[in-house]
Amino acid sequence: MARSTQLGLGERAPAAPASRWLCGALRGEILDGRLRPGDRLPATRGLARQHGLSRGTVVAAFQQLESEGYVVGRRGSGTYVSEVLPDDLLQVSRRSRAVAPIRSRPRRRLSAFAQHVTPFPGFAERPTRAFRCDVPALDLFPIATWAQVAGRRVRAATLDLLLGCGPLGYRPLQRAVAEYLRTSRGVRCEAEQVTILSGAQEALDLVGRMFLDPRDRVCVENPGYPGAALLFRAFGARVVPVPLDAEGMRVPGGELRGARLAYLTPAHQFPTGIGMTLRRRLAILEWARANQTVIVEDDYDSEYRYAGRPMPALQGLDRHGLVLFAGSFSKVLFPSLRLGYLVVPPDLIDRVAAIRSVTSRHASLVDQAVLCDFITDGHFGRHVRRMREIYAARSGVLLEAARSRLAGLLELSSVEAGLQTAGWLAPGIDDEQAAAAAGQRDVDVVPLSRYHQSRSRPARNGLQLGFAAVDPPELRRGVDDLARALETIRPAAAP
């Protein structure tokens, strides 16, 4: 038999509409358990008389609660609290909200990928100072122009823009990127070969999914970009470091016959800055053809070249469909813009689309559309030209200060491209010790040994110094303080 309940609903706030107050008060009584499932609510006339309301107000509140699923009206019988409340369908019980203590560590069966993966550090949130690497001059980015382009694009948003796009990306952006790569990098591609991704790291992940099985061999530069080696190892691949010489990565020897993949940064080797010579490029391509090895060309900061002839893409020399060309907009524009691209041979387009369709689907379409407008309106080209001049001037300041202050301590390589450069320490100075001493003087440098892929120590100790995000006064201050730091740890000269 249903339980009939007399209610005390409390005081009504003077400004609260009567129907909204009554509906909320009754809902609260139900949720707090004072009205239980199956209870009959008071008659509308009695409730109206008790609280000085019109019967129509009470009827409206009951109808609202019924539409929300809290009560159910039965003709000729009255109104009752529903047996199953809507909140029961949406929330766990209050008792189960507390975190239960774990009595023992669960035995989990992790995938091989989860067991092998190692965290790769992201950008640290700290002030930009000499000589922070891998960061553009964010204070000089034309944010007002970007905001105007973004605002115009969002205001004109269509249903298609809100819905999404195909797994290869926003078609107009594919066309814009293909045109840019053909004219500025010598890449041989059509728009349909360009896949828009969240960045170069996702490009490496996609390539790994396409080509790598456990125990496959992958060649990487040594020293080289650690994010590639970490990812390939997580796939279960055997990462084989290949040393560098003055022409770039050496041609892998016979022990690497049959390697599935080779990862290269030929335009501006990371982290040494070496540009791979044409002779070495042709030799690497011939080696890849003979071994049917896929090459991933990471073109991570080639937009900024300050000296020498433009370095065309390795992909432009490929006539056998072996090179996959990857790049990102995070260095040339700003790091939080998670957009990049991968150019693949025509026979891989469908396979890439299939993989993307079951993984990340596509990058943010609004961001893709804004970037496309930024490129096609000419803002991208103007920004690159402006920053190329600024970065060239800053690299000149760094080299000039280093020649006068770091002589005998650190020999900087000539800066031909990129956002940073490498320097070689005088014999007897340990690069980790140098970095620690510099850090005590508010100078950021990265030991090159951290990029070494083999267990043995590198033949020469060195440091990586960034200059793009650092203004000239801070560059000069950094050189002075780095010199003082190195002087404190330099071995005493032999008598």
Side-chain angles (χ1 to χ4, degrees):
M1 183 175 178
R3 188 171 71 101
S4 183
T5 306
Q6 293 293 322
L7 300 177
L9 298 180
E11 296 294 326
R12 169 189 163 193
S19 179
R20 184 185 304 172
W21 165 78
L22 180 59
C23 186
L26 292 173
R27 188 189 298 110
E29 294 289 301
I30 294 171
L31 292 176
D32 289 340
R34 287 185 289 274
L35 280 174
R36 301 198 296 268
D39 284 354
R40 185 171 62 191
L41 270 63
T44 54
R45 287 188 176 85
L47 198 58
R49 189 166 49 251
Q50 179 183 354
H51 293 283
L53 304 172
S54 69
R55 182 172 178 269
T57 297
V58 178
V59 170
F62 279 24
Q63 290 174 341
Q64 178 63 32
L65 289 171
E66 186 171 6
S67 70
E68 295 175 4
Y70 289 99
V71 301
V72 58
R74 299 174 186 169
R75 186 177 296 276
S77 179
T79 301
Y80 297 80
V81 178
S82 297
E83 294 291 344
V84 179
L85 301 177
D87 291 64
D88 293 336
L89 302 176
L90 298 174
Q91 300 179 7
V92 296
S93 67
R94 295 184 179 182
R95 180 177 297 179
S96 65
R97 291 175 193 168
V99 178
I102 299 177
R103 300 182 185 278
S104 62
R105 186 175 180 177
R107 298 179 60 185
R108 305 190 190 280
R109 185 174 179 180
L110 297 176
S111 69
F113 184 93
Q115 293 180 56
H116 291 143
V117 72
T118 302
F120 184 53
F123 286 104
E125 294 184 5
R126 63 179 186 272
T128 298
R129 62 190 187 189
F131 299 97
R132 192 172 184 189
C133 296
D134 297 320
V135 180
L138 299 178
D139 57 321
L140 299 179
F141 180 74
I143 189 66
T145 302
W146 181 270
Q148 290 172 359
V149 174
R152 183 181 68 228
R153 168 55 64 176
V154 172
R155 286 192 297 272
T158 62
L159 292 179
D160 288 341
L161 190 68
L162 301 179
L163 180 63
C165 64
L168 297 180
Y170 181 54
R171 185 67 175 176
L173 181 58
Q174 288 179 276
R175 289 194 292 266
V177 171
E179 175 63 21
Y180 165 69
L181 295 178
R182 285 194 298 263
T183 57
S184 68
R185 300 296 300 119
V187 174
R188 297 159 55 92
C189 69
E190 300 299 330
E192 57 268 20
Q193 294 174 248
V194 177
T195 303
I196 305 300
L197 306 163
S198 66
Q201 198 67 23
E202 187 181 4
L204 297 179
D205 177 73
L206 195 155
V207 171
R209 292 174 188 272
M210 275 198 295
F211 293 106
L212 292 182
D213 290 317
R215 308 299 297 168
D216 283 343
R217 286 176 296 175
V218 178
C219 305
V220 298
E221 299 163 321
N222 190 34
Y225 172 55
L230 289 172
L231 182 60
F232 297 148
R233 288 193 182 102
F235 279 112
R238 290 183 293 170
V239 174
V240 182
V242 180
L244 310 174
D245 60 22
E247 296 188 72
M249 190 183 84
R250 296 176 184 173
V251 179
E255 73 278 7
L256 285 172
R257 184 178 294 111
R260 292 294 301 277
L261 202 64
Y263 170 79
L264 305 174
T265 53
H268 183 228
Q269 200 278 329
F270 185 93
T272 65
I274 297 171
M276 185 178 285
T277 64
L278 177 60
R279 182 176 66 172
R280 182 60 54 80
R281 289 166 179 248
L282 295 175
I284 291 285
L285 287 171
E286 176 55 28
W287 169 81
R289 185 200 62 78
N291 290 276
Q292 289 299 296
T293 301
V294 173
I295 295 176
V296 183
E297 179 179 9
D298 188 346
D299 202 55
Y300 67 100
D301 64 0
S302 65
E303 289 85 2
Y304 298 124
R305 189 159 194 87
Y306 319 117
R309 299 179 61 184
M311 193 76 69
L314 179 68
Q315 191 265 8
L317 302 173
D318 177 26
R319 296 297 183 270
H320 301 283
L322 298 174
V323 179
L324 282 66
F325 185 87
S328 171
F329 291 100
S330 63
K331 297 279 195 307
V332 66
L333 296 179
F334 51 93
S336 65
L337 180 66
R338 303 311 306 160
L339 288 177
Y341 48 84
L342 179 69
V343 179
V344 301
D347 63 293
L348 292 177
I349 294 173
D350 290 343
R351 187 54 49 192
V352 168
I355 294 173
R356 292 275 289 159
S357 71
V358 298
T359 54
S360 55
R361 184 57 182 171
H362 62 74
S364 165
L365 183 52
V366 173
D367 288 344
Q368 290 187 67
V370 173
L371 175 59
C372 180
D373 292 348
F374 194 77
I375 294 173
T376 56
D377 289 351
H379 305 302
F380 178 80
R382 285 190 290 273
H383 177 64
V384 169
R385 289 190 293 273
R386 178 186 179 223
M387 300 316 296
R388 188 182 292 128
E389 293 178 0
I390 292 172
Y391 294 163
R394 290 182 175 184
S395 69
V397 170
L398 173 60
L399 290 174
E400 180 183 359
R403 277 193 294 268
S404 64
R405 191 68 179 87
L406 291 172
L409 296 169
L410 183 72
E411 178 189 354
L412 282 186
S413 302
S414 61
V415 182
E416 295 186 353
L419 307 180
Q420 57 265 330
T421 189
W424 304 104
L425 290 163
I429 301 180
D430 179 80
D431 58 0
E432 287 285 357
Q433 188 179 3
Q440 293 175 357
R441 296 177 180 271
D442 291 332
V443 175
D444 287 343
V445 291
V446 181
L448 291 184
S449 60
R450 295 182 186 177
Y451 300 126
H452 208 66
Q453 301 295 329
S454 57
R455 295 181 181 178
S456 60
R457 291 285 300 177
R460 297 181 68 186
N461 284 327
L463 301 173
Q464 188 182 44
L465 287 73
F467 56 83
V470 189
D471 62 26
E474 176 65 6
L475 286 170
R476 296 187 183 96
R477 193 281 304 175
V479 169
D480 284 340
D481 282 340
L482 178 58
R484 295 188 182 98
L486 297 180
E487 287 167 349
T488 63
I489 62 173
R490 176 172 52 181

